[in-house]
Amino acid sequence: MNVTAIPRSSRRPDWAGRNYTLLTAAAVATGLGGNGALIAAAFAVLETGGDSGDVGLVAASRTLPLVLFLLIGGAISDRVPRHRVMVAANALSCVSQAAFAVLVLTGEPRLWQMMLLTALGGTGQAFFGPAAEGMLMSTVRGEQAGRAFAVFRMAMQGASLGGAALGGALVAAVGPGWVLAVDAAAFAVAGALRSFLDVSHIPPRAPGGGMVADLRDGWREFIGRPWLWSIVVAFSIANAVVGAADAVYGPLVARDSLGGAGPWGLALAAFGAGTVAGALLMTRWKPRRLLLAGTLGVFPLALPSAALAIPVPVGVLFVVMFVAGATVEVFGVSWMTALHQEIPEDKLSRISAYDWFGSIALMPVAAAAAGPTESAFGRTASLWGCAALVTLVTAAVLCVPEVRNLRRRTGVMPEPASGSAGAERSVGGRGEGGADRR
């Protein structure tokens, strides 16, 4: 009697190949550790007798090298194998966080030491971010790219939400030093996972004309696409004012009208839960006009500032934050899908670096201007101004024809090569974005 073997179906969908799985697992690890570490770093400063100004200095120490080295990181990531850049950046972050943890656990770290170690972590992130995003986009192929990005972002956002909640609880239970140690271990695990990435499907880079030439080439690619630079400019402004509202005005409104830090923390958690729900929606929905649908999803990002300006009751604020998180994630997935579809593979990391740079460049300026703006115009007017700016720059983006008309490509797409998502082959034939800016 002959028995025909019935092949076992893979537990993974056909678009979730080896590289995609490794990238997603590594992103979850760093998301769980990193968001708790942000809380731990702030409390480490406060426990040494520092004040809010010292916390701000440590935070700025991370942002400054991120801005300084992002474009260089993008150029290098398009020149050398991206997984090597990612592993090296993870190693630097692991060492810096481990040293930070040791200082906190064994004594009283000085402010300059915490600033230096945080700056090393920011430097690692500047090189990691463009490499990771380019690696993810080069891993995914075909019509299922949007679903792959949505699942990746859902896992990343869920890990970030869980990491923040777990980190806050652990800081209270065992202290910030151990949370920083956990983050160092998470970087070690993520770096080990990323070392197994297969880059044989990526063509060898042709010799270039040097770093400046690579940056110039990336800039031409960036500025030559109106849909690309217009959205980055708009988000540079939107991210800045939303960041200022969340970091400065939100806690003040919570203190005066909402019942303190607890309700504000839950409101931020509602926004995070909304991003997970939005990513889940995008695993099923494939809008034909990618950037039109995504940009329309940005308008509700103005609602939290308006809600704080009124201010609305806590329950209403939770709903507003959830809706804003869900709709902005529609933009996030659509944006990644558009980049994956339109940008040449050998320029992905440089374009990602310009995107990152534009997204964060104005955030320190807006945070610094929040206090003087409140003094000059009042908190309510400042919050309405934040909501108005988000609405205006988003509406301006819709005036760009390419934004309204860019369509998702359909039809038969080339099969991915070895190591790519969507295929598992024995021969060779879009990243993770790290901290999500949007």
Side-chain angles (χ1 to χ4, degrees), residues 19 198-202 415-421 423-429:
N19 275 5
D198 179 7
V199 296
S200 61
H201 65 290
I202 300 177
E415 285 294 322
S418 175
S420 304
E424 294 288 348
R425 298 180 181 172
S426 59
V427 293

Side-chain angles (χ1 to χ4, degrees), residues 363-384:
M363 293 182 72
V365 177
T373 301
E374 182 184 13
S375 299
F377 302 104
R379 187 187 305 162
T380 299
S382 298
L383 282 164
W384 281 118

Side-chain angles (χ1 to χ4, degrees), residues 102-114:
V102 170
L103 285 175
V104 173
L105 290 171
T106 60
E108 292 188 1
R110 298 180 180 179
L111 180 62
W112 70 266
Q113 293 172 323
M114 293 186 285

Side-chain angles (χ1 to χ4, degrees), residues 123-171:
T123 302
Q125 186 62 41
F127 286 86
F128 173 83
E133 194 157 301
M135 188 70 202
L136 177 65
M137 291 186 185
S138 68
T139 292
V140 177
R141 290 287 190 276
E143 293 186 39
Q144 296 298 323
R147 177 173 293 180
F149 294 141
V151 172
F152 177 86
R153 290 177 65 92
M154 183 169 59
M156 186 176 64
Q157 301 287 21
S160 298
L161 182 61
L166 183 61
L170 287 176
V171 167

Side-chain angles (χ1 to χ4, degrees), residues 289-305:
R289 297 191 182 189
L290 280 168
L291 295 181
L292 176 61
T295 303
L296 290 174
V298 178
F299 280 106
L301 198 58
L303 294 178
S305 295

Side-chain angles (χ1 to χ4, degrees), residues 68-333:
L68 289 176
F69 294 115
L70 258 175
L71 298 183
I72 297 174
I76 289 177
S77 298
D78 276 338
R79 180 178 286 266
V80 304
R82 294 186 179 114
H83 71 308
R84 294 182 182 176
V85 179
M86 296 165 70
V87 172
N90 284 165
L92 177 60
S93 296
C94 175
V95 171
S96 64
Q97 288 293 73
F100 199 166
V102 170
L103 285 175
V104 173
L105 290 171
T106 60
E108 292 188 1
R110 298 180 180 179
L111 180 62
W112 70 266
Q113 293 172 323
M114 293 186 285
M115 291 175 63
L116 175 61
L117 292 171
T118 303
L120 289 176
T123 302
Q125 186 62 41
F127 286 86
F128 173 83
E133 194 157 301
M135 188 70 202
L136 177 65
M137 291 186 185
S138 68
T139 292
V140 177
R141 290 287 190 276
E143 293 186 39
Q144 296 298 323
R147 177 173 293 180
F149 294 141
V151 172
F152 177 86
R153 290 177 65 92
M154 183 169 59
M156 186 176 64
Q157 301 287 21
S160 298
L161 182 61
L166 183 61
L170 287 176
V171 167
V174 299
W178 288 109
V179 177
L180 292 167
V182 168
D183 189 38
F187 276 117
V189 170
L193 290 171
R194 288 163 178 145
S195 69
F196 290 105
L197 291 170
D198 179 7
V199 296
S200 61
H201 65 290
I202 300 177
R205 308 301 185 198
M211 182 72 67
V212 174
D214 284 350
L215 289 172
R216 190 184 301 119
D217 189 31
W219 173 253
R220 283 195 295 264
E221 188 77 29
F222 176 80
I223 204 66
R225 300 174 184 269
W227 63 267
L228 179 60
W229 63 257
S230 62
I231 287 179
V232 170
V233 170
F235 253 101
S236 181
I237 298 170
N239 277 348
V241 297
V242 170
D246 286 351
V248 180
Y249 301 138
L252 295 175
V253 173
R255 180 196 64 189
D256 296 341
S257 305
L258 301 177
W264 179 239
L266 291 175
L268 293 176
F271 183 89
T275 63
V276 176
L280 180 61
L281 168 66
M282 294 304 287
T283 64
R284 297 293 183 183
W285 184 37
K286 296 182 179 180
R288 184 80 174 94
R289 297 191 182 189
L290 280 168
L291 295 181
L292 176 61
T295 303
L296 290 174
V298 178
F299 280 106
L301 198 58
L303 294 178
S305 295
L308 291 171
I310 294 175
V312 299
V314 172
V316 176
L317 180 62
F318 290 171
V319 174
V320 167
M321 295 289 276
F322 181 89
V323 170
T327 58
V328 81
E329 193 64 16
V330 171
F331 170 82
V333 175

